């Protein structure tokens, strides 16, 4: 299933399933949030299982201008995070570079009729003509989905927000920019606690920046953040109010034989995600995905090469700035498989049990409803087989940076520039 969108502002910048997987939210460069809902009857009708239709669309952020710094603040949505559902309404956090908003998404299917002071068309009635008392009644109406901002968390980040993560206590969340991480209470908008600050006294001494941060799924005192130097720090908020000292430090020693001019750039971590179990975490750098055991800091327990064939192309990727692309990664519901994106609208899936991997392509040509996706292979040199694509003919403008996996089923969402593709496991 695909939802083609047209213009530059419609480039999808984040994709996120809610906790049940019944809703899927996307944010785009134009500051809009589009929510898709799974078809209700599809739970019984197997043929339409997994079909998502537009549920609500709203403008989350508008472009702003910081007059003190003479800076334009983009409306682009950097991250969306759902809160666990507590009642009939749904809540989500959306963030652009500077501001985080808490949105309530609720349904209305009844309206009040029979007002005393108003006619049915909404005009005020002449008070002198009102001689009887009418009790308004609730009448059924067409379903309306309303999105209303409940909280606005602003003015806490000097640099661009790259991560938000809801804590397992469901009362607090953290937000991270290049140099600082703040802890917020969901009910308090006018202050946050700065829990990590890596800004040096002299900015000329700056050697690394924070690239991603996430709360532990079960321990509300623990969180991790990754850096542009390829390191990950696990922090414990019980140790000190300012977590400038980490509890654990994860880093893989570099092989001196493979060192090059690009080593530092490609080792920068673009995403970090805890497994659902909380035992492992996954990091994505430019060429690979690594799985770390939280009990082992010196090296990852698993390493998966995403597009090793690009190692020989790093020079041209540096020249066209693609080497700075920030790919995300995600776990499936049982932590047995992982997924991340690549170029040419390819995305990669790795089975952790069998160590098998597959490359699939999200494109309009091969994504007819109910069609099987064919595995793709990239040829690096020599003779090219019939179904292979040459590394020289890959399209680096087509890239899959954002992916999401349904928390309970084999349904995945893949954002390919301005198209959203939803794929599901084949039904026998």
């Amino acid at each position: 299933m695909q939802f083609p969108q047209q213009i530059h502002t419609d480039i999808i910048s984040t994709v996120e399933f809610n906790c049940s997987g019944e809703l899927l939210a996307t944010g785009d460069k134009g500051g809009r949030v589009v929510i898709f809902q799974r078809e209700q009857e599809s739970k019984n009708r197997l043929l339409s299982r997994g079909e998502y239709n537009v549920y609500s669309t709203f403008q989350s952020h508008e472009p702003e201008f910081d007059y003190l710094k003479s800076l334009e603040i983009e409306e682009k949505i950097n991250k969306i995070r759902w809160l666990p559902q507590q009642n009939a309404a749904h809540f989500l956090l959306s963030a652009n570079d500077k501001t985080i908003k808490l949105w309530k998404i609720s349904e209305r299917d009844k309206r009040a009729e029979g007002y005393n002071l108003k006619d049915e068309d909404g005009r005020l009635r002449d008070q002198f003509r009102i001689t009887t008392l009418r009790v308004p009644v609730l009448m059924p109406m067409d379903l309306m989905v309303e999105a209303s901002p409940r909280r606005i968390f602003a003015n806490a980040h000097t640099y661009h927000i790259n991560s938000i993560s809801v804590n397992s206590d469901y009362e607090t969340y953290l937000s991270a920019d290049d140099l600082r991480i703040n802890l917020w209470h969901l009910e308090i908008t006018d202050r946050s606690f700065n829990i990590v600050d890596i800004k040096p006294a002299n900015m000329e001494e700056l050697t690394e920046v924070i690239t991603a941060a996430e709360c532990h799924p079960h321990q509300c005192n623990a969180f991790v953040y990754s850096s542009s130097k390829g390191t990950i720090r696990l922090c414990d908020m019980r140790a000190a109010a300012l977590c400038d000292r980490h509890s654990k430090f994860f880093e893989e020693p570099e092989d001196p034989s493979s060192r090059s001019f690009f080593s530092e750039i490609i080792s920068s971590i673009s995403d970090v995600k805890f497994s659902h179990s909380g035992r492992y975490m996954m990091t994505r750098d430019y060429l690979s995905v690594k799985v770390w055991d939280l009990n082992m800091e010196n090296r990852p327990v698993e390493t998966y090469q995403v597009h090793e064939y690009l190692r020989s192309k790093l020079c041209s990727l540096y020249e066209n700035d693609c080497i700075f692309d920030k790919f995300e990664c995600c776990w499936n519901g049982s932590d047995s498989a992982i997924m991340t994106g690549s170029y040419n609208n390819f995305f990669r899936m790795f089975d952790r049990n069998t160590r098998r991997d597959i490359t699939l392509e999200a494109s309009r040509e091969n994504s007819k409803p109910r069609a099987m996706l064919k595995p793709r292979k990239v040829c690096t040199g020599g003779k090219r087989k019939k179904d292979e694509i040459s590394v020289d003919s890959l399209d680096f403008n087509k890239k899959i940076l954002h992916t999401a996996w349904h928390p309970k089923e084999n349904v995945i969402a893949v954002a390919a520039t301005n198209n959203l593709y939803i794929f599901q496991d084949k039904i026998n």
Side-chain angles (χ1 to χ4, degrees):
M1 191 177 5
Q2 63 185 39
F3 303 95
Q5 299 169 318
Q6 302 307 316
I7 52 176
H8 174 71
T9 55
D10 287 344
I11 291 173
I12 297 170
S13 52
T14 183
V15 184
E16 187 80 6
F17 280 102
N18 76 336
C19 304
S20 68
E22 294 302 300
L23 297 177
L24 171 68
T26 67
D28 65 23
K29 278 198 166 184
R32 280 180 300 274
V33 173
V34 181
I35 300 173
F36 300 91
Q37 183 185 45
R38 197 173 199 181
E39 282 298 306
Q40 294 300 316
E41 67 270 19
S42 64
K43 292 170 190 167
N44 307 319
R45 284 169 44 213
L46 285 178
L47 278 176
S48 64
R49 188 167 74 97
E51 285 198 2
Y52 285 77
N53 292 316
V54 176
Y55 177 63
S56 175
T57 303
F58 59 93
Q59 188 72 31
S60 174
H61 288 70
E62 301 280 357
E64 297 173 48
F65 191 79
D66 186 331
Y67 291 97
L68 288 175
K69 295 177 183 165
S70 292
L71 278 178
E72 285 185 34
I73 300 167
E74 269 191 309
E75 65 270 41
K76 174 189 158 203
I77 308 293
N78 293 340
K79 283 287 182 286
I80 288 174
R81 290 289 179 264
W82 291 90
L83 272 62
Q85 191 175 2
Q86 309 286 352
N87 50 38
H90 298 274
F91 289 86
L92 63 81
L93 290 165
S94 65
N96 71 346
D97 284 342
K98 299 289 182 190
T99 306
I100 303 155
K101 296 184 180 182
L102 175 67
W103 291 89
K104 178 184 180 183
I105 293 94
S106 53
E107 294 183 353
R108 209 153 56 110
D109 60 357
K110 291 184 174 62
R111 69 168 183 266
E113 283 188 3
Y115 288 105
N116 285 289
L117 302 177
K118 289 180 184 175
D119 286 325
E120 299 308 325
D121 59 6
R123 287 184 298 182
L124 285 171
R125 297 168 66 194
D126 186 350
Q127 293 185 20
F128 299 105
R129 291 185 181 176
I130 302 171
T131 55
T132 57
L133 181 68
R134 289 195 295 178
V135 178
V137 291
L138 288 175
M139 301 293 288
M141 59 176 269
D142 290 340
L143 179 69
M144 263 181 66
V145 181
E146 294 179 322
S148 51
R150 303 312 300 264
R151 309 265 188 281
I152 296 176
F153 307 88
N155 305 322
H157 284 279
T158 308
Y159 307 97
H160 293 175
I161 297 170
N162 56 45
S163 304
I164 50 175
S165 179
V166 180
N167 210 341
S168 59
D169 59 10
Y170 304 141
E171 290 185 350
T172 57
Y173 74 92
L174 61 80
S175 59
D177 66 26
D178 293 341
L179 297 178
R180 297 189 180 102
I181 300 175
N182 294 332
L183 182 71
W184 300 82
H185 193 286
L186 283 161
E187 298 292 326
I188 301 167
T189 59
D190 59 352
R191 66 183 179 274
S192 62
F193 294 97
N194 179 222
I195 53 174
V196 171
D197 188 347
I198 66 165
K199 183 181 179 183
N202 180 3
M203 283 295 273
E204 288 179 8
E205 295 168 10
L206 182 68
T207 57
E208 64 180 331
V209 294
I210 297 166
T211 54
E214 188 173 60
C215 296
H216 191 280
H218 309 303
Q219 299 166 14
C220 61
N221 54 286
F223 68 95
V224 293
Y225 68 93
S226 58
S227 89
S228 56
K229 275 194 165 178
T231 60
I232 311 104
R233 292 168 174 86
L234 176 75
C235 299
D236 189 335
M237 288 187 272
R238 297 172 300 184
L242 185 65
C243 301
D244 48 1
R245 290 187 184 164
H246 46 266
S247 304
K248 291 190 175 183
F249 183 78
F250 301 84
E251 183 179 26
E252 185 174 28
E254 190 188 5
D255 179 5
S257 64
S258 64
R259 180 152 183 83
S260 73
F261 170 77
F262 304 107
S263 294
E264 275 191 29
I265 302 172
I266 63 173
S267 65
S268 176
I269 293 171
S270 55
D271 197 16
V272 58
K273 293 268 170 57
F274 277 110
S275 63
H276 295 86
S277 67
R279 170 71 187 273
Y280 301 96
M281 65 178 173
M282 165 173 53
T283 59
R284 170 74 207 259
D285 56 46
Y286 189 66
L287 293 178
S288 64
V289 172
K290 293 169 183 170
V291 176
W292 303 77
D293 187 321
L294 291 192
N295 298 324
M296 192 167 87
E297 300 169 56
N298 60 337
R299 62 185 172 84
V301 288
E302 298 159 32
T303 300
Y304 302 97
Q305 300 302 332
V306 178
H307 37 220
E308 184 63 18
Y309 47 79
L310 293 182
R311 195 174 284 275
S312 61
K313 300 271 177 199
L314 291 177
C315 196
S316 55
L317 289 163
Y318 179 77
E319 286 168 2
N320 63 16
D321 280 351
C322 284
I323 202 167
F324 302 106
D325 284 335
K326 293 176 169 56
F327 292 95
E328 294 172 7
C329 51
C330 60
W331 300 86
N332 72 343
S334 61
D335 297 335
S336 62
I338 55 185
M339 172 172 60
T340 191
S342 181
Y343 293 105
N344 210 68
N345 279 359
F346 288 169
F347 58 99
R348 303 270 282 136
M349 302 171 94
F350 303 93
D351 188 309
R352 297 181 59 214
N353 299 323
T354 63
R355 292 302 172 105
R356 289 174 61 194
D357 64 273
I358 190 170
T359 302
L360 299 170
E361 183 182 4
S363 73
R364 296 190 188 198
E365 290 74 36
N366 62 13
S367 300
K368 296 184 178 72
R370 323 257 176 270
M372 284 281 289
L373 285 182
K374 287 182 186 166
R376 303 301 304 263
K377 280 196 167 58
V378 177
C379 158
T380 51
K383 253 191 140 181
R384 186 163 63 89
K385 293 179 187 169
K386 184 187 167 194
D387 292 332
E388 289 184 338
I389 180 167
S390 166
V391 68
D392 296 317
S393 58
L394 293 174
D395 188 341
F396 293 110
N397 292 316
K398 293 179 175 176
K399 56 191 89 170
I400 290 176
L401 303 175
H402 314 287
T403 57
W405 206 312
H406 190 291
K408 296 170 183 162
E409 296 174 32
N410 274 340
V411 177
I412 59 169
V414 172
T417 319
N418 58 349
N419 290 318
L420 175 69
Y421 295 87
I422 297 175
F423 301 108
Q424 67 180 62
D425 219 354
K426 184 164 167 37
I427 306 151
N428 296 322

